Every structure is written in structure tokens, then in C-alpha cells.
Amino acid sequence: MTTPPTRNTPVPPPRSTRTPAGPRQLHPGAWWLWALGMGAAATRTTNPAILLLIAAVAGYVVAARRGDAPWSRSYGAFLRLGLVVLGIRVVFAVLLGSPVPGTHVLFSLPEVPLPAWAQGVRIGGRVTLEGLLAALYDGLRLATLLVCVGAANSLASPARLLRALPGALYEAGVAVVVAMTFAPNLVADVRRLRAARRLRGREDRGIAAVLSVGLPVLEGALERSVALAAAMDTRGFGRTADVPRRLALATAALTLAGLLGVCLAAYGLLTAGGTGWALPVLALGLAAAFAGLALGSRRSVRTRYRPDPWVLPEWLTATSGLAVAALTTYLAGADPAAFAPTVVPPSVPALPLGAVLAVLLGLVPALAAPKPPSAAST
């Protein structure tokens, strides 16, 4: 017989399966799928107009759906990092030359004579318009990739992403998520220390200020890593159940083969002429990876408290990013000249209407994603 609950016995409330209304955090996996789709679209083109449009769409979504958490303020740092990468790529092309042949000479630098064993490498010399444009397009593509990664870092909580990982990837996911938290927390620490220096009347710019801020930032990163490791060990993270050895080996083999297949297919999709064999390899790799993840989830003995829902806003966000990648890949194969403008001879990049409509699909999260709750309300 079951004893009825007394007055001092707490009765747990019934668990609701409905999605909470009002402001809430979108599933971090949806944000990363959206950002990866935008980044994949950026890898399919060197057209600066399309790349700038992708960066503008990512920036608008961040401005519309970014919260006020400390890790949400890292987007500006990624923008500056992208500009630095772009500048370095152009400077290297000016100083070390470019493999792109050109006839339009902009200016000439004093060339340093090199020994015979360094043939093919030069320092200084002629700087052509064709080589400068090729370096600018390549640098802009890499900067756009950094902007997409920065958008995911400022929109998705790394801790919630770790909680959503399947059991088979949990050990590796811990290392990845801890690494992903470095950049947002680094930006937050730098902002906090610069504000403290300004309050004390000290200079917050210059080499001396950077050196004085660097040591406390590194010390805070080490303390945060040790505290995170201790908290995870206390809560039992990383513990696995006893499973047969054959099942563990099959899980590792399927997961490794699937991930290698996905990487090989991604390389084929990024190269010209590899689409024919890359799509079947991608399908086989995804099937093997999902089978390995399903088997590996039996090893996990951890539970989840209030898991993040995956409902219509998550589907719309993830699908919009994947649709941008798929449509851009298709259009780049159908019209290569529009997505890879020629630099020999130099030509004015065109902006195809189909590419514009495909990239603008990335704006769906700005409307479909719920507004994140403020720190005061939580």
C-alpha cells in the first residue's frame, strides 16, 4: 500500500511538455547549424558583393537576437579579427608577391635578392592589380567565415550546447566546448579589466595597458578552467556505463568512419568537380555517424534537467542556414563566373539576383527565433 502524502511531504508538480511562451533561449544546435550553413555558403564564392551580403545578414541576426550575457559580446572581437586577417592577407601579397600573373602594375617595391635555392619566392618587387584583387577576395572570404563563427559564439550558449551533446560525443564535446568558451570569456575579461582601469584613472590603450591586462586575463582563464573541471567532476560528468567491448569498438569504428566520410565529402564539395562522388560519401558518412552516436548513447549514464526544446523556431533557424548553403552551392555550380569573378583580366563583380535571394534566407532567425530573456528577468 502507498501512504498518502502528509503535510510535510512535498509533492512534485506535474511536468509540462509544452514549450514555454515568451522570451527563451533558442537551442544552441540550431544557431550553430545556421552559422555553419552561412559559413559554407561563404566558402563557395570569392565574389566580394556576395561575401559582404553574407556578413551583413549575419550581423543583422546577431543584432536582432543577441542577449546580454557576457559571452554574447564577443561578436565585435570576431569582426576586428576578420579585419586583421584581411589586412594581413593583403600585406603578405604586397610584400611577398602573388602567384596570380598580372600586367597592371600599381607600384614597385625594392626587391631583396635571394639565393638560388629560394627560387619561386620573392620579397618586394612589382605589385599588380590582379594579385592585389586575388588576395583581397581570398582574405574577405576568410574574414566572412570568422564573422559567421563569431555570430554562433555570440548567439549560442556554450554550456547549453554541451548539455545538448549526445552521449557518444560527450568526452570530446567537453574539450570542444571548453575551447569555445575561451574567446567569449576572454572578451568579457578584457572589457571588465579595461573598465576597471578607466575607473581608476589609468590609460586603457597602448602597449603598456595591453601588457598589464594580459596577465590578469590569463590568470582568470586558468582559474575558470580549474573551477569548471572541478564542478564537472563533482556532478559526475564523464562517467560511463559498463557495455560489452564489442559494442564499444563498434561505436568507435562507426563514429570515426562516419566523421572521416563527412570530412572527405566536405572537401569534395568545396573543390571543383567533386560534387558527383561527394554526395554519396556524405550520405554514407552521416548514416555511419548517426549509427555510432545511437550506439554510443547507451554508454552515457547522465541525466538532463529541463532539456532545451526543439520546436518550430529551431527547425526554421537550422533549415534557413542549410538552405542558404545548398542554394549557394547549386548556383555556384550553375554559374561559376558570377560566384568567382575573374581577376585576369580584372572585372567588376556582379551580384546575381538568385544569390541575393538565397543569402537573404539567412534572415529567417531574426523573425522566427524568440527573443532571449534579459539577465534581470532570469
Side-chain angles (χ1 to χ4, degrees):
M1 296 179 61
T2 59
T3 23
T6 61
R7 181 176 297 178
N8 295 330
T9 304
V11 179
R15 184 176 179 180
S16 175
T17 58
R18 298 174 56 187
T19 304
R24 68 175 181 89
Q25 293 284 353
L26 196 75
H27 197 288
W31 281 128
W32 273 101
L33 287 175
W34 170 80
L36 291 176
M38 299 293 291
T43 62
R44 303 301 300 169
T45 179
T46 55
N47 190 326
I50 301 177
L51 291 173
L52 290 176
L53 182 61
I54 293 174
V57 168
Y60 181 81
V61 174
V62 170
R65 287 298 180 263
R66 181 175 58 178
D68 54 358
W71 44 265
S72 301
R73 304 169 186 172
S74 61
Y75 184 69
F78 279 91
L79 283 178
R80 289 188 286 270
L81 180 61
L83 293 177
V84 169
V85 169
L86 177 61
I88 291 176
R89 181 67 180 88
V90 173
V91 169
F92 276 11
V94 171
L95 296 180
L96 304 179
S98 175
V100 178
T103 57
H104 298 77
V105 180
L106 298 178
F107 55 90
S108 297
L109 297 176
E111 188 170 356
V112 178
L114 297 176
W117 55 266
Q119 293 182 358
V121 179
R122 69 175 178 88
I123 301 177
R126 300 186 311 165
V127 178
T128 62
L129 177 61
E130 292 84 353
L132 201 61
L133 285 178
L136 181 64
Y137 293 170
D138 288 340
L140 185 59
R141 178 167 56 179
L142 183 55
T144 306
L145 285 174
L146 290 174
V147 167
C148 295
V149 173
N153 273 279
S154 60
L155 291 171
S157 170
R160 292 172 58 246
L161 179 62
L162 174 63
R163 188 174 62 179
L165 285 177
L169 293 179
Y170 192 75
E171 288 82 1
V174 170
V176 173
V177 172
V178 170
M180 286 167 46
T181 58
F182 176 75
N185 289 323
L186 179 67
V187 174
D189 287 348
V190 170
R191 289 175 179 270
R192 177 175 55 83
L193 291 174
R194 289 183 62 186
R197 289 182 62 87
R198 286 195 297 267
L199 290 175
R200 293 181 175 91
R202 298 179 181 178
E203 184 66 30
D204 62 337
R205 299 180 182 274
I207 298 179
V210 171
L211 294 178
S212 63
V213 168
L215 184 59
V217 167
L218 293 177
E219 182 181 359
L222 290 176
E223 291 180 355
R224 194 165 48 246
S225 300
V226 173
L228 178 61
M232 292 172 61
D233 182 68
T234 303
R235 290 166 173 81
F237 284 99
R239 298 176 183 175
T240 56
D242 294 330
V243 294
R245 182 174 177 80
R246 293 181 179 179
L247 181 60
L249 291 177
T251 300
L254 285 173
T255 305
L256 181 60
L259 294 179
L260 288 177
V262 171
C263 293
L264 184 62
Y267 175 77
L269 290 175
L270 293 177
T271 56
T275 310
W277 60 267
L279 292 178
V281 172
L282 179 62
L284 293 176
L286 290 176
F290 280 124
L293 295 179
L295 290 176
S297 61
R298 300 182 182 181
R299 302 176 59 238
S300 177
V301 293
R302 63 188 177 94
T303 58
R304 294 179 182 176
Y305 175 67
R306 299 177 64 182
D308 294 320
W310 188 283
V311 288
L312 183 60
E314 281 76 11
W315 282 113
L316 292 176
T317 300
T319 305
S320 65
L322 297 178
V324 171
L327 291 175
T328 306
T329 302
Y330 171 77
L331 293 174
D335 189 7
F339 284 79
T342 60
V343 294
V344 182
S347 61
V348 178
L351 188 58
L353 179 60
V356 173
L357 296 178
V359 174
L360 289 181
L361 287 177
L363 292 174
V364 170
L367 303 175
K371 292 184 178 180
S374 62
S377 63
T378 55

